[in-house]
């Protein structure tokens, strides 16, 4: 089971992923899809200037945290949408908790 958690504190956005889908060991397309979304989020965030980015990855684990901006919120929301879609199709293999709220500029 891949457990995914999104958090939006207003000051930091975060994603944590842990586990393995175990959908089809040796040829696990569910795990590959979830991993691709997580890694795409990291690659996209690395291209954003003037944000604080924290990425920690190890076997079966990914943690990503970033400063909320209009751009980063959109990226996190897209990753959230993709992971939720996977969890709805494969509920025995992926769970998603939390959400990312629409961007609200701090004045």
């Amino acid at each position: 089971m891949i457990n995914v958690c999104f958090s939006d504190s207003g000051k930091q956005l975060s994603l944590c992923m842990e586990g393995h889908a175990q959908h089809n060991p040796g040829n696990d397309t569910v795990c590959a899809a979830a991993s691709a979304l997580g890694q795409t989020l990291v690659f996209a965030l690395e291209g954003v200037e003037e944000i604080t980015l924290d990425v920690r990855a190890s076997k079966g684990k990914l943690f990503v945290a970033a400063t909320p901006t209009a751009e980063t919120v959109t990226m996190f929301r897209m990753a959230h949408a993709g992971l939720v879609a996977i969890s709805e199709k494969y509920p025995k293999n992926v769970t998603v908790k939390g959400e990312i709220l629409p961007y609200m500029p701090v004045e």
Side-chain angles (χ1 to χ4, degrees):
M1 171 74 73
I2 297 175
N3 296 301
V4 181
C5 179
F6 284 89
S7 177
D8 181 351
S9 71
K11 295 182 180 185
Q12 177 178 278
L13 307 169
S14 66
L15 158 74
C16 57
M17 294 176 66
E18 185 171 1
H20 296 282
Q22 302 298 327
H23 175 67
N24 184 14
N27 188 25
D28 198 333
T29 55
V30 175
C31 199
S35 295
L37 285 169
Q39 287 299 314
T40 299
L41 176 62
V42 170
F43 297 147
L45 290 168
E46 288 175 338
V48 179
E49 295 180 11
E50 299 184 18
I51 65 165
T52 301
L53 179 60
D54 179 11
V55 177
R56 290 177 252 157
S58 61
K59 189 172 178 84
K61 295 181 182 181
L62 175 65
F63 174 80
V64 183
T67 309
T69 67
E71 189 174 12
T72 61
V73 166
T74 298
M75 292 174 184
F76 271 87
R77 287 174 61 91
M78 187 161 50
H80 183 270
L83 287 161
V84 165
I86 294 169
S87 73
E88 288 173 350
K89 183 153 179 138
Y90 301 97
K92 293 180 181 178
N93 307 100
V94 180
T95 63
V96 178
K97 294 182 180 174
E99 63 181 337
I100 300 296
L101 302 172
Y103 180 66
M104 301 296 284
V106 178
E107 298 185 28

